[in-house]
Amino acid sequence: MPGPKNRYLERARISEQEFEEVLRLFCCDQTASQTASQTGLNRNTINRLATLFRQRMAELRASQASLADCGQRRENLLAALRTRLSGRSADNALIFGFFRQDGQVFTDLAPSGLKAELQAVIHGRLRPEVLFRPEAWRGYEGLMDLSHPEAFRPSGLDSPELEHFWRFCRERLGKFQGFKRESFILHLKECEFRYNYRQADLYRVLLEEFGRRPLSMKSERFFGN
């Protein structure tokens, strides 16, 4: 038996009114448990919808950034590496870069193969010039490791927006108990989206987006870079 018609969600088993309420609570930063309690919907349904919301937010951010430009930043890091840290592993490190483009803030997940080196720089264990040539930082205003309280500023200069965004990310991401790499990307891009639309009505922005391009419950995929 087909579910109720829903212009925001294909193959929906919930009504438009229920969808709108879930989205409203998501935009208000309510947890899945809180949303389930307030709507009477199954928590698994809430989690699936939240994942779909985050996937679309990530896709929208990717469409607004120059993907080729992001790729160039990563290539600069790899090409400018002077030496490897032998025997060091940072597989679980969650490291990302910060940059601004056209008046907006963007993030870019660091290359997996450089986590140990970047972590050593961010944590202050090694001077950046020991591991990288100066051109490595071209385009990055900051590098962040979720396990470290301070962002690394390649220029050495204070950046109020960098600090503001870093605090915003740490406060939001700190609410979650650990991340897999795939889900971390989605949560990071959600932070980026919320930060850039912090002066807008986030609920209205997303509702209009889903009205133009409905989500679908038939499949989920993680956004990656």
Side-chain angles (χ1 to χ4, degrees), residues 75 143 150 164 175 222:
E75 288 177 14
L143 287 171
E150 296 182 3
H164 188 199
K175 297 185 297 184
F222 282 114

Side-chain angles (χ1 to χ4, degrees), residues 44-106:
N44 289 336
T45 299
I46 304 299
N47 281 327
R48 288 190 68 192
L49 286 171
T51 296
L52 292 174
F53 297 160
R54 292 181 179 115
Q55 287 173 346
R56 180 61 60 83
M57 294 163 94
E59 290 169 5
L60 289 170
R61 294 310 297 158
S63 70
Q64 290 173 306
S66 166
L67 294 182
D69 196 34
C70 288
Q72 187 61 54
R73 286 178 168 83
R74 294 185 215 116
E75 288 177 14
N76 287 342
L77 282 173
L78 290 164
L81 182 67
R82 291 184 190 274
T83 183
R84 287 276 184 192
L85 287 177
S86 60
R88 293 284 186 90
S89 175
D91 291 341
N92 295 323
L94 299 173
I95 297 172
F96 57 97
F98 163 97
F99 62 96
R100 283 179 286 190
Q101 180 175 294
D102 299 327
Q104 293 201 12
V105 166
F106 292 90

Side-chain angles (χ1 to χ4, degrees), residues 2-186:
K5 183 174 176 58
N6 190 323
R7 61 184 151 163
Y8 306 116
L9 182 65
E10 296 174 353
R11 302 194 179 190
R13 293 185 178 275
I14 62 174
S15 68
E16 281 188 8
Q17 184 177 357
E18 289 172 321
F19 179 91
E20 290 171 355
E21 183 63 7
V22 171
L23 179 61
R24 185 185 68 79
L25 293 169
F26 173 84
C27 292
C28 292
D29 243 356
Q30 297 292 291
T31 66
S33 296
Q34 290 170 327
T35 301
S37 175
Q38 293 182 58
T39 61
L41 296 174
N42 183 280
R43 181 174 171 176
N44 289 336
T45 299
I46 304 299
N47 281 327
R48 288 190 68 192
L49 286 171
T51 296
L52 292 174
F53 297 160
R54 292 181 179 115
Q55 287 173 346
R56 180 61 60 83
M57 294 163 94
E59 290 169 5
L60 289 170
R61 294 310 297 158
S63 70
Q64 290 173 306
S66 166
L67 294 182
D69 196 34
C70 288
Q72 187 61 54
R73 286 178 168 83
R74 294 185 215 116
E75 288 177 14
N76 287 342
L77 282 173
L78 290 164
L81 182 67
R82 291 184 190 274
T83 183
R84 287 276 184 192
L85 287 177
S86 60
R88 293 284 186 90
S89 175
D91 291 341
N92 295 323
L94 299 173
I95 297 172
F96 57 97
F98 163 97
F99 62 96
R100 283 179 286 190
Q101 180 175 294
D102 299 327
Q104 293 201 12
V105 166
F106 292 90
T107 58
D108 186 29
L109 211 58
S112 296
L114 290 181
K115 284 184 177 181
E117 288 76 15
L118 292 173
Q119 192 174 66
V121 169
I122 294 169
H123 289 230
R125 293 195 296 266
L126 285 172
R127 297 192 310 277
E129 60 269 22
V130 172
L131 295 173
F132 295 93
R133 291 188 291 274
E135 62 267 25
W137 317 116
R138 191 182 309 151
Y140 282 113
E141 290 188 49
L143 287 171
M144 298 130 172
D145 178 353
L146 200 57
S147 68
H148 192 65
E150 296 182 3
F152 167 68
R153 298 184 294 275
S155 68
L157 301 175
D158 288 339
S159 172
E161 184 155 42
L162 170 62
E163 296 302 329
H164 188 199
F165 179 68
W166 181 220
R167 286 196 302 271
F168 180 82
C169 286
R170 282 183 62 82
E171 288 173 5
R172 283 194 51 76
L173 298 175
K175 297 185 297 184
F176 300 93
Q177 299 298 314
F179 292 98
K180 293 181 179 179
R181 177 183 169 85
E182 295 87 354
S183 60
F184 174 69
I185 294 171
L186 292 182

